[in-house]
Amino acid sequence: GVITFHTDNAGTSAERLRVDSSGNVGIGTASPARSPLHIHRDNADCYVHVTNSTTGTGSGDGFTIQQSGLETLLNNREAGPMILYTSGSERLRVDSSGRVLIGTTTEGEPSVDNLTVGSSGDTGITIRSGTSNNGAITFSDGTSGADEYRGMMDYDHATDFLRFYTNATEKLRIHSNGAVTKPTSPAFAAHGSNA
């Protein structure tokens, strides 16, 4: 119980599409592994291409889902945003400039608008780490070594202190008892490097 569709390929009938006995559809595969649709392509990238009357129909138009080796690409080929909805409401938008907007359609202050999080109530970002690990925000001006953390705010959950870095060096630490110390102060040495 299968239905197969073939086209002639250099004098040889080649299967192009199959509907198996479970109703699963395979394009480029005779053994659909996922229902209801499995698309496969040997030795090349595999695409799903969606267009409409506004986008045009060329290869550079519309929206594509692409499997390229181990990479999966979602590509809006138009000068418009990518938008994610849940429960009928927009939750996340990547606009045509690459800015990420969460909970809002309006970017933030122009000099720091790469990521904007907005809501009509209390709003924030949570960084959750292990109970014996660290959570940090780093400020980088390079891609290796100390340039990856020229500035940093780092919270140590093992001993509950918050430290601040400038020029890739710790400059200030707030301890769990509220004490504020600097690496050059006697109090810092008394507390110990992990106090």
Side-chain angles (χ1 to χ4, degrees), residues 96-120:
S96 59
S97 298
R99 296 174 296 204
V100 178
L101 311 175
I102 301 173
T104 181
T105 59
T106 305
E107 70 280 358
E109 201 279 327
S111 64
V112 287
D113 62 356
N114 304 85
L115 171 64
T116 302
V117 180
S119 75
S120 59

Side-chain angles (χ1 to χ4, degrees), residues 42-122:
D42 284 325
N43 304 317
D45 289 0
C46 187
Y47 293 85
V48 175
H49 190 186
V50 181
T51 60
N52 61 26
S53 59
T54 302
T55 65
T57 60
S59 62
D61 296 325
F63 171 71
T64 57
I65 301 171
Q66 177 184 356
Q67 187 67 42
S68 177
L70 297 177
E71 295 181 341
T72 301
L73 293 76
L74 304 178
N75 187 350
N76 180 1
R77 297 176 178 275
E78 307 299 325
M82 295 271 290
I83 305 172
L84 177 66
Y85 275 67
T86 64
S87 298
S89 297
E90 179 177 332
R91 305 303 185 188
L92 184 145
R93 171 182 295 236
V94 181
D95 70 14
S96 59
S97 298
R99 296 174 296 204
V100 178
L101 311 175
I102 301 173
T104 181
T105 59
T106 305
E107 70 280 358
E109 201 279 327
S111 64
V112 287
D113 62 356
N114 304 85
L115 171 64
T116 302
V117 180
S119 75
S120 59
D122 296 339

Side-chain angles (χ1 to χ4, degrees), residues 125-137 155 157:
I125 298 172
T126 298
I127 299 173
R128 181 175 289 117
S129 310
T131 56
S132 299
N133 301 99
N134 290 33
I137 297 174
Y155 193 87
H157 288 281

Side-chain angles (χ1 to χ4, degrees), residues 108-178:
E109 201 279 327
S111 64
V112 287
D113 62 356
N114 304 85
L115 171 64
T116 302
V117 180
S119 75
S120 59
D122 296 339
T123 305
I125 298 172
T126 298
I127 299 173
R128 181 175 289 117
S129 310
T131 56
S132 299
N133 301 99
N134 290 33
I137 297 174
T138 61
F139 303 89
S140 171
D141 62 2
T143 58
S144 64
D147 289 343
E148 287 278 60
Y149 58 94
R150 281 292 162 200
M152 181 167 61
M153 293 180 290
D154 176 62
Y155 193 87
D156 185 304
H157 288 281
T159 48
D160 286 317
F161 64 77
L162 177 65
R163 56 187 169 182
F164 296 85
Y165 282 60
T166 62
N167 198 25
T169 305
E170 183 180 347
K171 298 298 195 300
L172 184 72
R173 183 176 295 194
I174 304 173
H175 299 268
S176 59
N177 63 1

